[in-house]
Amino acid sequence: MSTTTTTISATTATATVAPTMRKQLGQILLANGRITREQLEHAIEEQKMRGHGQLLGEVLTELGYVKEDQVVEALAEAYGIPYAKLSPRLADARVVDMLPRDFCERHAVLPLFHVEGVVTVAFGEPTNVFLIEEIARMTSATVQVVAASASDILAMLRQHVPSANVFVIDDIIDNVGADTFELIETKTDDIASLEGMAGDSPIIKLVNYLIYSAVKEGASDIHIEPDEAQLRVRYRIDGVLHEKMSPPSKMQPAIASRIKIMASMDIAERRLPQDGGIHVMMENRPIDLRVSSLPNQFGEKVVIRVIDNSRVLVNLEKLGFSVEMLKEFREQISQPHGLVLVTGPTGSGKSTTLYAVLGELNTPEVNICTVEDPIEYNLRHINQFQVNERIGLRFPVVLRSLLRQDPDIIMVGEVRDDDTARTAVQAALTGHLVLTTLHTNDAPSAVTRLCNIGVEPYLLGASIVAVLAQRLVRKTCPHCRTEYEPPANILHTMEKAGFPVTHLSRGLGCQKCHKTGYLGRFGIYELLVPNEDAREAITNGANLQQLRELAKTSGMMTLRSDGLAKVKAGVTTIEEVFRVCAV
């Protein structure tokens, strides 16, 4: 393919003409083996029949003979300009902001690089000379044109985080030696001095190193905890905290202030809790950080929640469901209306499950809306609404307004009060599929919890479609997994539960799993789908014990049983199941 580059400068744009086609598109696709001659002839005939100036590339794509990016690549060759297959590594986040977001989306363009007065821009329609001239004027730079598919450009724009409040860690990360810690010699209560300390290069490097290494190791949270003698830094990896660093305690004020500056928090306020957020770019992908500070007797404890979209957004098959339970769960979430509850303690993966459900249900035919606090992940083609308690925009307020937006599927981040619960149940009874979460220990407890909140039992009996309770357990490390013969009490426990074994598996600990024997996590579940007897019992106000008995007689597999089944399969350990489930 030719590597000729088309450029238009800000000063000479009016004198430049559009690139001219050197080869016919169909002949290039044919020569490159993308289509057959029969397909080309069929597409040409179809193009003639349709009329209205439809392009050959569009016809070939609609007929399924080629993909959009293959057409764009062939067009680039036809016009003698470069073709770019876009990826997060290819674009500089700070250059993307050279053009307004709505302009880029409207015209399917994406600035990629800006070097010495030349801005490289990916075009979905690289022959539009008027658009090229306009971009040259808007950027006051020479425009270098490359071709890319419109879908790739729009996908990149959806992933883009505005450069305001973005810290590019890879640009400033460096080795931080222990001797640099000694630059902070004394604590100070002077805010001006504290801000200067927070901006000192070693502090910047240390804070960025903490974030960088946490993301690299797959941590979900960073805990920075002041003590009398030292500052303890711990990462939560696979649900368990691991101590990583112990800087001198005198560094605490500067570290806390540096993080608060990055999160747009008030460094002068050290007596009250604060919350903030940071966007960082790491390896050319956006990472969201949620920051919380809380004063204790030795300073401010800071916890940073790491939200990495590339690690979290998964499909239902990858969450850990058994084949039978996944089939049943899919049947229930496919219902046209009703209430689906996902329950479990904080950190049990409820949001991840709901996002996976929404991803599966998300089609052009349905209107999906969410009410969240906060919005953790941006979901493509889904309307997400943020709760704001400070201005009175609470869950029930947003939910009631949302019902006037013609939704088909509604996700409510969490049921916290009777008003939200009642509104969600009414929505489920009036033709909407409502997905939400509760903090309960098992699936039957969700019914009694909603009754205690104030929802009438007869409404629950009519509205609940399914209740999924879940926990996250650590996976046995595949790199150091070995079989062993467990003691007699463990063998007896497995046999009594209906999972007889002679050997079990566990990880010995290796470099891959940080010597823990575990690598990654997955879910264990119990799924309650009320039958007619259960619905009648719910309507009549049955207590928790009665609901549990009904669930067991209907064949519901409990959390503990699902966990032990996975212990028998060798993917986790019995100690891990007992750690998260009541024995």
Side-chain angles (χ1 to χ4, degrees):
M1 186 176 78
S2 172
T3 58
T4 304
T5 301
T6 300
T7 61
I8 295 183
S9 70
T11 56
T12 63
T14 55
T16 307
V17 296
T20 55
M21 182 174 283
R22 302 175 180 182
K23 302 178 183 177
Q24 294 296 318
L25 173 66
Q27 296 304 317
I28 293 175
L29 291 169
L30 190 63
N32 292 343
R34 301 295 191 187
I35 57 174
T36 64
R37 183 166 296 281
E38 291 76 14
Q39 290 173 333
L40 176 59
E41 291 173 355
H42 178 214
I44 292 172
E45 288 300 319
E46 185 73 19
Q47 182 188 25
K48 292 178 181 177
M49 290 174 58
R50 295 184 183 185
H52 306 295
Q54 188 164 20
L55 299 175
L56 178 62
E58 295 175 352
V59 176
L60 286 165
T61 304
E62 291 176 14
L63 291 174
Y65 293 156
V66 290
K67 296 179 180 178
E68 181 190 6
D69 56 350
Q70 293 172 335
V71 172
V72 176
E73 185 176 8
L75 280 173
E77 182 176 347
Y79 285 98
I81 59 176
Y83 165 74
K85 179 61 178 173
L86 299 181
S87 71
R89 291 180 175 274
L90 191 59
D92 186 330
R94 292 160 292 189
V95 175
V96 174
D97 288 340
M98 290 183 71
L99 295 175
R101 175 66 171 264
D102 59 345
F103 179 88
C104 292
E105 290 180 342
R106 186 166 65 253
H107 298 291
V109 296
L110 180 73
L112 300 176
F113 314 109
H114 187 206
V115 181
E116 296 181 353
V118 178
V119 59
T120 301
V121 182
F123 287 79
E125 189 180 348
T127 60
N128 187 338
V129 68
F130 302 107
L131 180 59
I132 298 171
E133 291 175 352
E134 186 174 358
I135 291 174
R137 287 192 296 269
M138 292 172 69
T139 59
S140 299
T142 299
V143 177
Q144 179 172 292
V145 179
V146 298
S149 71
S151 59
D152 280 355
I153 290 172
L154 294 176
M156 285 285 291
L157 286 169
R158 281 190 293 271
Q159 297 178 32
H160 171 60
V161 176
S163 59
N165 203 30
V166 171
F167 300 86
V168 185
I169 292 177
D170 294 348
D171 288 351
I172 57 178
I173 197 69
D174 197 359
N175 294 326
V176 182
D179 56 337
T180 62
F181 296 159
E182 301 304 317
L183 291 176
I184 308 301
E185 296 293 343
T186 58
K187 289 186 179 180
T188 177
D189 290 329
D190 181 70
I191 298 303
S193 299
L194 197 59
E195 188 168 359
M197 292 160 60
D200 206 15
S201 179
I203 296 298
I204 291 175
K205 290 180 179 179
L206 174 59
V207 170
N208 282 283
Y209 173 75
L210 294 179
I211 299 171
Y212 177 87
S213 60
V215 175
K216 277 290 189 182
E217 295 187 34
S220 61
D221 301 88
I222 307 168
H223 290 243
I224 302 170
E225 304 164 318
D227 206 339
E228 186 174 11
Q230 65 179 25
L231 185 64
R232 181 168 64 164
V233 178
R234 296 190 291 172
Y235 294 169
R236 188 177 295 278
I237 301 173
D238 292 337
V240 178
L241 286 169
H242 301 270
E243 189 163 340
K244 291 295 178 180
M245 190 182 297
S246 297
S249 60
K250 53 194 169 186
M251 296 187 66
Q252 186 275 329
I255 291 175
S257 294
R258 172 58 188 166
I259 294 170
K260 289 163 77 173
I261 289 170
M262 293 173 70
S264 300
M265 296 158 66
D266 184 3
I267 68 167
E269 180 55 75
R270 287 171 285 161
R271 301 165 300 170
L272 297 173
Q274 293 189 65
D275 297 299
I278 308 170
H279 296 300
V280 301
M281 294 298 298
M282 180 171 164
E283 296 178 346
N284 287 312
R285 75 177 191 272
I287 307 290
D288 286 333
L289 306 173
R290 303 265 164 76
V291 181
S292 171
S293 68
L294 182 65
N296 71 8
Q297 69 269 41
F298 299 111
E300 290 179 284
K301 175 174 177 176
V302 178
V303 176
I304 303 173
R305 180 77 185 274
V306 181
I307 300 175
D308 185 351
N309 287 290
S310 65
R311 291 180 179 270
V312 177
L313 298 181
V314 297
N315 54 39
L316 288 172
E317 285 88 354
K318 296 182 179 179
L319 294 181
F321 285 97
S322 64
V323 175
E324 297 81 8
M325 191 178 295
L326 180 57
K327 181 181 178 181
E328 178 68 15
F329 187 52
R330 277 190 162 133
E331 288 180 6
Q332 302 313 314
I333 62 175
S334 299
Q335 300 297 321
H337 54 79
L339 181 64
V340 176
L341 296 160
V342 179
T343 76
T346 300
S348 59
K350 300 186 296 297
S351 296
T352 300
T353 299
L354 284 184
Y355 282 138
V357 170
L358 293 180
E360 187 152 310
L361 299 177
N362 187 15
T363 64
E365 293 79 26
V366 296
N367 175 20
I368 301 179
C369 301
T370 74
V371 187
E372 303 173 66
D373 184 26
I375 296 173
E376 293 194 15
Y377 306 102
N378 296 321
L379 302 175
R380 183 182 177 187
H381 300 321
I382 289 178
N383 305 289
Q384 296 174 270
F385 301 93
Q386 170 73 55
V387 170
N388 190 336
E389 297 279 352
R390 295 178 182 176
I391 62 173
L393 197 64
R394 299 168 54 248
F395 271 106
V397 175
V398 181
L399 189 51
R400 278 193 290 269
S401 298
L402 194 58
L403 291 173
R404 296 190 285 271
Q405 294 277 317
D406 187 32
D408 298 296
I409 300 170
I410 301 171
M411 191 270 271
V412 182
E414 182 184 347
V415 171
R416 299 176 180 175
D417 53 64
D418 61 336
D419 205 357
T420 305
R422 289 171 182 273
T423 308
V425 169
Q426 289 294 340
L429 291 170
T430 54
H432 307 89
L433 181 64
V434 180
L435 313 168
T436 189
T437 69
L438 273 177
H439 289 98
T440 63
N441 290 327
D442 61 7
S445 299
V447 177
T448 56
R449 175 65 56 83
L450 288 174
C451 287
N452 293 336
I453 286 177
V455 182
E456 290 79 0
Y458 71 90
L459 294 177
L460 294 177
S463 63
I464 291 179
V465 169
V467 184
L468 180 76
Q470 68 178 71
R471 299 288 190 279
L472 290 178
V473 296
R474 292 180 290 174
K475 296 180 184 177
T476 303
C477 177
H479 305 285
C480 60
R481 180 169 55 197
T482 185
E483 286 193 347
Y484 74 102
E485 187 174 337
N489 63 324
I490 298 297
L491 293 174
H492 176 69
T493 299
M494 294 292 292
E495 185 175 2
K496 186 178 178 181
F499 304 100
V501 293
T502 57
H503 291 80
L504 292 176
S505 298
R506 63 185 174 193
L508 296 177
C510 62
Q511 289 296 116
K512 296 279 188 180
C513 62
H514 307 287
K515 303 295 183 180
T516 64
Y518 300 99
L519 187 62
R521 289 190 293 175
F522 64 92
I524 58 175
Y525 304 92
E526 70 178 32
L527 178 62
L528 171 62
V529 179
N531 56 22
E532 290 304 316
D533 291 339
R535 291 189 184 278
E536 184 177 353
I538 294 170
T539 301
N540 294 332
N543 61 37
L544 179 57
Q545 189 57 40
Q546 292 171 323
L547 292 174
R548 284 174 174 164
E549 290 299 325
L550 279 170
K552 288 181 180 178
T553 56
S554 67
M556 183 190 78
M557 176 174 277
T558 64
L559 279 166
R560 189 164 177 260
S561 295
D562 190 40
L564 293 179
K566 287 162 181 171
V567 170
K568 182 176 181 178
V571 292
T572 189
T573 65
I574 193 166
E575 294 83 4
E576 189 66 7
V577 172
F578 287 166
R579 181 178 70 85
V580 301
C581 292
V583 178

